[in-house]
Amino acid sequence: MTEFPFSRADLVVTTRLREAFGSEVELEDENGKSIPYELLAEFEVFGQGYAVLQAVKSKYDEYELLRVEYNGEDGKPELLTIEDDEEWENIAELYDEWSLPDDEG
């Protein structure tokens, strides 16, 4: 098993997306159809922003994990797919660790 590169202490909760868009955002699927998503969490790890979204009408507990980049001209946030599998796995594991109850107490 590989060693996990982040810990809970590396995660910083942010609110910039919620301030910009509220608690729901709409994303387009591959067919151009708008799908509403609930913003479950947003955070930064070493200065890189991430958002955790869940489709409003989802029947499952699955979530979307996206990078958050800020447009240099107007500072508006943009949600981007995490292309690197290792980055996605590391951030998903960190989110799961952070969002699940701590069993050590």
Side-chain angles (χ1 to χ4, degrees), residues 27-64:
L27 302 178
E28 286 188 10
D29 67 9
E30 58 275 353
N31 300 317
K33 180 181 175 190
S34 273
I35 309 290
Y37 283 83
E38 179 183 359
L39 177 59
L40 299 179
E42 62 180 291
F43 55 90
E44 289 184 358
V45 178
F46 297 118
Q48 175 57 61
Y50 297 95
V52 182
L53 306 171
Q54 185 176 42
V56 171
K57 295 183 180 183
S58 176
K59 297 176 184 174
Y60 309 102
D61 288 337
E62 295 178 4
Y63 58 80
E64 299 289 329

Side-chain angles (χ1 to χ4, degrees), residues 48-100:
Q48 175 57 61
Y50 297 95
V52 182
L53 306 171
Q54 185 176 42
V56 171
K57 295 183 180 183
S58 176
K59 297 176 184 174
Y60 309 102
D61 288 337
E62 295 178 4
Y63 58 80
E64 299 289 329
L65 181 59
L66 302 169
R67 285 183 83 145
V68 180
E69 300 284 337
Y70 295 93
N71 183 323
E73 293 177 15
D74 59 13
K76 288 191 177 181
E78 182 179 355
L79 297 170
L80 304 171
T81 301
I82 299 173
E83 300 293 338
D84 182 87
D85 290 341
E86 185 175 355
E87 177 186 7
W88 192 96
E89 288 292 331
N90 288 334
I91 297 303
E93 187 172 334
L94 178 61
Y95 173 70
D96 288 343
E97 177 186 319
W98 175 75
S99 64
L100 296 174

